Amino acid sequence: MVMKPKEALVFKKICKKCTVTVLVAASWFGVLSLGVSGAAMAQSAGSSVRGLPDFTELVEQVGPSVVNIRTLEKARPSEVSPGGSDEEMQELFRRFFGVPIPNVPRQAPRQNRPQEDAQPKGVGSGFILSADGFIMTNAHVVEGADEVLVTLTDKREFKARIVGADKRTDVAVVKIQATDLPAVKVGDVNRLRVGEWVMAIGSPFGLENTVTAGIVSAKQRDTGDYLSFIQTDVAINPGNSGGPLINMRGEVVGINSQIYSRSGGFMGISFAIPMDEAMRVSEQLRASGRVSRGRIGVQIAPVTKDVAESIGLGKAQGVLVRGVEEGSPAEKAGLEAGDIITRFDGKPIEKPADLPRAVGNTKPGSKVGITVFRRGGHKELSITVAEIEVDKVAAASPEKKAPVATGQHWGLAVSGLTEAQKKEFRVRGGVRVDAATEAAARAGIREGDLIVAIANAEVTSLKEFELIMSRVDKNRPISVLIRRGDGAQYVLIRPAK
């Protein structure tokens, strides 16, 4: 909206001691004259000033604990791009953004440089964890670095050793040879409140010891990463990565890690790794150089509202077990494809991201309880958590034709399974879909799927399938649990209207 001249505020000073009259010329409501006493105005202004935070003491207190991190890498032999423009652009991004240009291959060094010289790779931030030289930063700040240089606020520079880095949480720990360093105080993230003032210190765009401030916008912000984040509106830019997020008590409550941006710069949404999670990771990195996480061996999917209502679960909660790895802790515990995990080790599982976080934070070898919803009721199981390995992608089992025996229902043509097929598909029973048309096709069922349950009733054979289908209300949607390859999912077959 553009403000017209006659709608603007006009300030007129009457005298130096008593009053100030503010004349407001309104566009269509006439002229309003408001007198405000000088004393009242001063009192109001004083209250406003007292309500604003003063960060000067925090900067003096925490500033010496924040460091600048520069990374170097040795040039690798490769072809030199003509003109050098791509190389210069890559160098600009590495130097100021701390990351290479996405999806663009890194170019070779200029021909007049020795191939083994270390060249600037990125700039980031960090903070001192302990007086003997352990420093925390982001894993992406030191990733791929041949050398890591740490500069303190007193301008001393040290070559750092990477103790360990964890890509899943984006936490890294480096070590410098120094003593009597000013370490940060670690705060309690549970006490952090939305709307609370927080401050960041870092090296945005390579500018060392830059202080910015804002408020906590949200906690437990799920972005699809392994961890949920603290969201703030603190001005965080490339180069701030790895720096501390500090509360008004001078305690570090997070590590500034990500920004939401379409331009590469600050847009009012920044994300920090909660300090309690970062400390758990750093303790393992300092002890062994790696992070040990739990695994149970399941493939999971979200539970939709329609599916939850159709199977009697009520609200959409928990995670659907789409598949169970052979020989995994889940299989040994009795978990089945189609189960919905609602609690793990006593903690509620509300959404898919909750389960890998809960399992990952469980010490391998621990025996914990797990609650599943199976065919209309809850079931308690006990599972021994294993240690996570390299992620595996389950291959779909080959699908074979079964002996011809069909039943026509809701656009479905199905056939029974032989004992060999049951063993191959690792199911106790079920029927194979030979064709899916009309309502079944609209629900997403296709040839080769295995139907293992209908309306919370287990399908053990073709005869059982026909019996169940004869009893269902054909005027209402029915839930069908299908297996496709090694995965399982619920679909809703809706009657034609």
Side-chain angles (χ1 to χ4, degrees):
M1 181 181 71
V2 178
M3 182 175 287
K4 298 178 181 179
K6 69 174 183 177
E7 297 173 328
L9 298 179
V10 181
F11 295 87
K12 184 178 180 181
K13 190 172 182 180
I14 302 300
C15 70
K16 296 182 180 180
K17 297 181 181 180
C18 50
T19 62
V20 175
T21 301
V22 180
L23 299 179
V24 181
S27 58
W28 57 85
F29 292 109
V31 179
L32 173 65
S33 178
L34 176 64
V36 183
S37 71
M41 195 170 186
Q43 183 178 1
S44 176
S47 300
S48 176
V49 170
R50 283 196 298 272
L52 294 175
D54 183 355
F55 296 99
T56 55
E57 292 185 6
L58 291 183
V59 174
E60 293 176 0
Q61 176 185 341
V62 185
S65 302
V66 183
V67 303
N68 170 264
I69 296 178
R70 292 186 295 116
T71 57
L72 307 176
E73 66 174 352
K74 293 180 180 178
R76 270 53 171 189
S78 61
E79 295 181 2
V80 180
S81 60
S85 59
D86 289 344
E87 179 192 353
E88 291 170 2
M89 186 60 70
Q90 285 279 12
E91 179 63 24
L92 177 66
F93 266 69
R94 284 198 300 269
R95 183 175 178 184
F96 293 106
F97 289 3
V99 294
I101 301 177
N103 302 319
V104 177
R106 188 170 293 157
Q107 301 295 331
R110 296 182 186 273
Q111 289 180 332
N112 60 353
R113 293 175 182 164
Q115 288 186 345
E116 294 302 317
D117 282 356
Q119 305 299 332
K121 181 178 183 294
V123 177
S125 308
F127 52 94
I128 300 168
L129 278 180
S130 62
D132 57 351
F134 283 98
I135 293 169
M136 183 178 286
T137 185
N138 284 144
H140 76 260
V141 170
V142 298
E143 182 180 8
D146 292 312
E147 290 184 32
V148 177
L149 300 177
V150 171
T151 304
L152 307 184
T153 53
D154 61 9
K155 303 304 179 182
R156 286 185 294 166
E157 186 171 273
F158 298 85
K159 183 179 290 188
R161 171 177 62 89
I162 300 176
V163 176
D166 180 55
K167 289 185 179 180
R168 286 177 181 262
T169 55
D170 198 20
V171 173
V173 176
V174 302
K175 177 73 165 63
I176 61 175
Q177 294 300 319
T179 57
D180 298 326
L181 297 177
V184 298
K185 292 191 298 182
V186 177
D188 183 358
V189 178
N190 294 322
R191 295 178 59 189
L192 193 66
R193 300 173 64 188
V194 175
E196 180 177 337
W197 283 94
V198 283
M199 179 184 75
I201 306 178
S203 304
F205 301 108
L207 303 172
E208 300 177 14
N209 307 115
T210 298
V211 180
T212 53
I215 63 168
V216 176
S217 304
K219 293 179 63 177
Q220 299 291 318
R221 177 67 74 200
D222 195 346
T223 63
D225 291 87
Y226 185 79
L227 294 176
S228 56
F229 291 90
I230 301 168
Q231 180 185 329
T232 75
D233 69 348
V234 179
I236 301 296
N237 286 286
N240 271 113
S241 291
L245 184 70
I246 305 156
N247 63 20
M248 293 302 292
R249 291 178 292 277
E251 302 164 335
V252 177
V253 291
I255 310 174
N256 297 310
S257 176
Q258 299 180 17
I259 58 175
Y260 172 81
S261 177
R262 294 179 180 176
S263 63
F266 173 66
M267 291 186 69
I269 299 178
S270 308
F271 300 102
I273 302 165
M275 202 57 189
D276 53 351
E277 300 284 357
M279 288 302 295
R280 274 198 288 267
V281 171
S282 70
E283 287 166 5
Q284 291 195 54
L285 292 177
R286 291 174 63 175
S288 62
R290 59 184 292 269
V291 177
S292 175
R293 289 192 175 89
R295 64 177 293 272
I296 59 175
V298 292
Q299 293 88 45
I300 60 175
V303 179
T304 65
K305 183 175 181 291
D306 286 345
V307 166
E309 291 176 351
S310 69
I311 63 177
L313 181 60
K315 67 174 183 178
Q317 62 177 321
V319 293
L320 168 66
V321 177
R322 296 191 66 247
V324 179
E325 294 178 15
E326 188 174 2
S328 66
E331 185 183 57
K332 294 174 183 176
L335 274 167
E336 300 176 3
D339 286 344
I340 294 176
I341 299 174
T342 57
R343 298 186 76 85
F344 182 86
D345 195 19
K347 303 178 183 70
I349 303 298
E350 298 291 342
K351 55 186 181 297
D354 293 344
L355 184 65
R357 291 169 186 165
V359 175
N361 288 333
T362 304
K363 184 179 180 181
S366 303
K367 191 171 185 177
V368 301
I370 187 168
T371 305
V372 301
F373 185 84
R374 179 185 297 170
R375 287 185 281 281
H378 287 89
K379 187 177 181 66
E380 300 293 333
L381 302 173
S382 180
I383 190 168
T384 301
V385 178
E387 185 172 3
I388 198 168
E389 301 171 358
V390 178
D391 294 338
K392 299 178 180 179
V393 179
S397 302
E399 297 172 346
K400 296 183 179 180
K401 290 284 184 180
V404 178
T406 61
Q408 297 288 339
H409 293 284
W410 296 57
L412 283 170
V414 301
S415 56
L417 299 176
T418 65
E419 291 302 320
Q421 287 175 320
K422 293 177 185 178
K423 185 176 181 180
E424 177 188 357
F425 297 130
R426 294 167 54 214
V427 294
R428 291 195 299 266
V431 293
R432 183 187 186 279
V433 177
D434 293 326
T437 59
E438 300 174 353
R442 290 193 297 271
I445 298 176
R446 64 193 189 203
E447 181 184 354
D449 289 342
L450 302 183
I451 296 177
V452 293
I454 299 172
N456 284 332
E458 185 176 8
V459 176
T460 57
S461 63
L462 181 62
K463 184 177 179 180
E464 186 73 16
F465 169 82
E466 293 176 332
L467 180 62
I468 295 170
M469 293 299 284
S470 68
R471 294 174 176 173
V472 298
D473 185 348
K474 293 180 173 56
N475 295 316
R476 300 182 62 184
I478 58 169
S479 62
V480 179
L481 177 61
I482 65 171
R483 283 283 301 272
R484 183 174 295 163
D486 280 348
Q489 66 185 83
Y490 281 99
V491 298
L492 287 178
I493 303 182
R494 302 177 186 274
K497 296 183 179 179

